[in-house]
Amino acid sequence: MWLTSCSRSRCLVVLSASGTGQRYIAAALALDLRGIVVESDFSDFALSPKGRFFEDFEEGQVFEHHWGRTINQGDNSLFTTVSLAFVPLYFNADYAARHGHRDVVVNPMLVLCTVVGLSVEDLSEAGGVFLGIEDVVFHQPVYPGDTLTARSRVVARRESKSKKGFGIVSWRTEGYNQRSELVVGYQRSNLVARRVGSSVTDAAAKNARPGDRSER
Amino acid sequence: MTEKLPETMAEKPSGKISHLTGQVNYFEDFEVGAKMRHARGTTIGEVENQLLTKLVMNTADAHFNEHKMNRSPFGQRLVFGLVTGSMVIGLASQDTAENALAELRFDKFRFRAPVFHGDTIYAYTEVLEKRSAEREDAGIVRFKHWGVKHDDTIVFEGEREVLIKRRSHWCEQ
């Protein structure tokens, strides 16, 4: 047992170690200055998993995606300028007003990206590259202050012939404003990792995290 | 500022708006088959990938967890495909949508190769189609855009329809 680090109020102590080369299988506990255990080994902490695998999708399944997102003027200006979208309707309110708009228009690419973003945890977070987006239609302008929500339906699901451990899933996604009016619709397809056997899930299985200190 | 302003700058703003945008990218100016190499490129870094990915609520940490991605087959963070698409269409936007009334549709977006931090992207555009719109003061132009990396890899392609003002109706004399 030895001290590995010490701050004003806490000491990290390795209680036992069996060495194999540079690797130590160790249990690390943080003790406060009275010697009371205040934190346990992070490997005891169960992973709170995110995302869905290929096996979790079936045709026709519908997802009402989480959170929603109010787009404000800062979001629109930042996105538009960082992406070099030099269209004055998106960043000059006076110019936009002279074209009949009540405010700057939210850059439609920001609308698309936000609706895709809201759908990622349900559809594509578990891993697998983005293949394509088809048939994106912007039905009406979005203005700062509008709130976007997203909904998707699985339209196709098939095995990938070329990518071991992956399938291909296609979804129809729609983005709505706070009045439940359709603002954007599109179809997108991704490679989606299988629960086991894909390069993504294999990499995740050996991915080192705090709690797996021997790998750090 | 103490110096007297030049006569022209001391005048009140004219109230005109057509001087705010380019004079060579009205609907009349686009010809089907025309090919454009857009002047500016952009290197993709933390601001483009990490900031925009998070700004749009994309929760996939493949785009912002370097430690995890070091152990993936890619070896590093991937740039979110729609960040690449946004940069390509952004790079093309002054030449293709500065005089837009609206961007109507995107189609056939393909993410053909991975993009990594430090890569530089250039944009190329071909005019695919022009047609009249329901309103007489504007017409619709269909573009095809490509995003190409510094090493000539095509990383993105996609089509886009833009409703563009007609000079005849919008350009004040």
Side-chain angles (χ1 to χ4, degrees), chain B residues 51-120:
Chain B
L51 187 150
L52 294 185
T53 296
K54 291 173 176 174
L55 186 80
V56 304
M57 319 301 283
N58 184 342
T59 49
D61 74 351
H63 309 304
F64 50 80
N65 182 341
E66 184 75 15
H67 173 245
K68 165 181 159 174
M69 294 308 287
N70 281 343
R71 291 157 186 271
S72 78
F74 297 104
Q76 57 183 304
R77 279 170 292 176
L78 285 167
V79 174
F80 173 32
L82 274 180
V83 167
T84 303
S86 298
M87 298 314 301
V88 171
I89 287 178
L91 287 165
S93 67
Q94 184 176 355
D95 295 334
T96 60
E98 195 184 17
N99 280 313
L101 288 177
E103 294 182 75
L104 303 174
R105 293 169 183 264
F106 301 153
D107 198 12
K108 300 175 185 164
F109 277 15
R110 294 288 177 278
F111 307 96
R112 293 180 46 174
V115 177
F116 303 107
H117 283 226
D119 286 348
T120 298

Side-chain angles (χ1 to χ4, degrees), chain A residues 69 78-79 82-90 95 98-99 109 117 120 125 132-138 208, chain B residues 15 17 51 55-59 67 86-87 90-91 93 97 100-101 103-110 165:
Chain A
R69 176 72 151 86
L78 187 67
F79 182 91
V82 168
S83 69
L84 308 164
F86 299 129
V87 181
L89 287 175
Y90 308 153
Y95 181 92
R98 309 268 210 109
H99 292 76
M109 184 60 99
V120 163
E125 181 159 352
I133 304 188
E134 314 296 325
D135 199 21
V136 184
V137 179
F138 298 101
Chain B
I17 52 174
L51 187 150
L55 186 80
V56 304
M57 319 301 283
N58 184 342
T59 49
H67 173 245
S86 298
M87 298 314 301
L91 287 165
S93 67
L101 288 177
E103 294 182 75
L104 303 174
R105 293 169 183 264
F106 301 153
D107 198 12
K108 300 175 185 164
F109 277 15
R110 294 288 177 278
K165 293 191 252 187

